[in-house]
Amino acid sequence: MKKFFSRILFLALALMLCMSSVSALACTEWCGSPDIDVENDVLPPSDQLHIEAYRLGDAVIGRTLHVLRSGNVRTAPNQSSRILAEAFPDDKVAILDYHMESVNPLSMWLKIDFYGMEGWINASRGKVVSCRPDSYIAGNDPALEVARSRYVGQTMMVNVRSGNARAGAGQDYPTIEYIHRPDTYRIRDVALDSEGKLWVMIRIGSRECWASASLFDYIGN
């Protein structure tokens, strides 16, 4: 009887260990690569990123590119095409397609959904992972969605001696507060004015104000 219960206990422990391993593997597959250490600038070499994307082939489609190095998003998969936007470290964008250069197949380009705007970026700019891409509101201006993902919830420091904080996002709104260097504020929202310039919402006391993003330097969390 004791042997019987010992075997049952052994099998139960073995099953628990097996389930734990599978769970960890699934988490790694979904959450991406645990070897990315962006904060300490420990980045994979560019050649390694190209090779990893090349090995995935068709499997790269539908995954996410975790941007590790700033890079241009272009209209076509080559360096001479027009620049649409710039991707920054820690952007996470969905991969729609890929292109291998005929001269050097290991030099790959990835077609991405860059906050609602389709474009191409060199595979050396980031790592292909299985995390969900950054979310955005479909139909919104891509520039606004990039700014929302990058700034909302972050802390920014005033970079001018004195600046205006207004009742709304634009020069036409009245000034209701003043901001000064080196005050810091947590960004609550972003908006584009009629000229396409970016404004950020901050709180001063009990008032919600808007100020031009050009009056701030990015700090982070």
Side-chain angles (χ1 to χ4, degrees):
M1 184 65 69
K2 290 183 179 180
K3 289 184 178 180
F4 174 76
F5 282 113
S6 297
R7 288 178 180 177
I8 293 295
L9 181 60
F10 175 78
L11 289 173
L13 289 173
L15 182 60
M16 289 175 62
L17 288 172
C18 181
M19 291 178 65
S20 176
S21 299
V22 170
S23 176
L25 180 62
C27 182
T28 301
E29 172 62 19
W30 178 251
C31 298
S33 55
D35 58 340
I36 298 176
D37 190 0
V38 179
E39 292 185 358
N40 295 319
D41 295 327
V42 181
L43 303 178
S46 297
D47 290 346
Q48 179 185 329
L49 296 172
H50 271 300
I51 292 171
E52 289 178 359
Y54 174 79
R55 285 175 175 170
L56 284 169
D58 290 343
V60 77
I61 300 173
R63 298 201 183 195
T64 296
L65 181 70
H66 179 180
V67 178
L68 302 179
R69 298 179 179 88
S70 297
N72 293 323
V73 181
R74 297 178 177 270
T75 55
N78 57 68
Q79 295 287 358
S80 59
S81 59
R82 183 168 60 89
I83 296 173
L84 295 172
E86 184 178 4
F88 289 88
D90 216 28
D91 282 337
K92 299 179 184 67
V93 291
I95 299 173
L96 307 176
D97 204 351
Y98 68 96
H99 172 79
M100 298 181 187
E101 293 184 357
S102 56
V103 178
N104 180 14
L106 288 180
S107 181
M108 287 187 63
W109 288 79
L110 302 173
K111 187 177 185 180
I112 59 174
D113 182 354
F114 193 67
Y115 301 97
M117 175 174 56
E118 293 186 4
W120 293 86
I121 189 170
N122 196 273
S124 65
R125 300 296 91 191
K127 191 172 183 66
V128 178
V129 296
S130 297
C131 286
R132 293 183 179 89
D134 292 333
S135 60
Y136 61 89
I137 301 173
N140 277 12
D141 189 314
L144 179 63
E145 291 304 322
V146 170
R148 177 172 286 115
S149 175
R150 192 160 292 146
Y151 296 128
V152 173
Q154 306 296 312
T155 300
M156 299 185 78
M157 181 175 67
V158 180
N159 61 20
V160 294
R161 181 175 297 176
S162 181
N164 298 326
R166 300 178 181 272
Q171 295 284 355
D172 297 334
Y173 290 91
T175 299
I176 56 176
E177 293 284 355
Y178 294 93
I179 55 178
H180 307 277
R181 184 176 57 217
D183 292 342
T184 59
Y185 296 94
R186 192 171 183 81
I187 306 305
R188 307 176 66 84
D189 200 0
V190 295
L192 299 174
D193 64 17
S194 57
E195 298 179 355
K197 294 180 180 178
L198 180 65
W199 291 70
V200 296
M201 178 195 284
I202 59 177
R203 182 179 292 240
I204 302 178
S206 60
R207 279 183 164 180
E208 289 185 342
C209 315
W210 291 85
S212 171
S214 63
L215 302 180
F216 295 86
D217 287 329
Y218 176 77
I219 296 179
N221 289 314

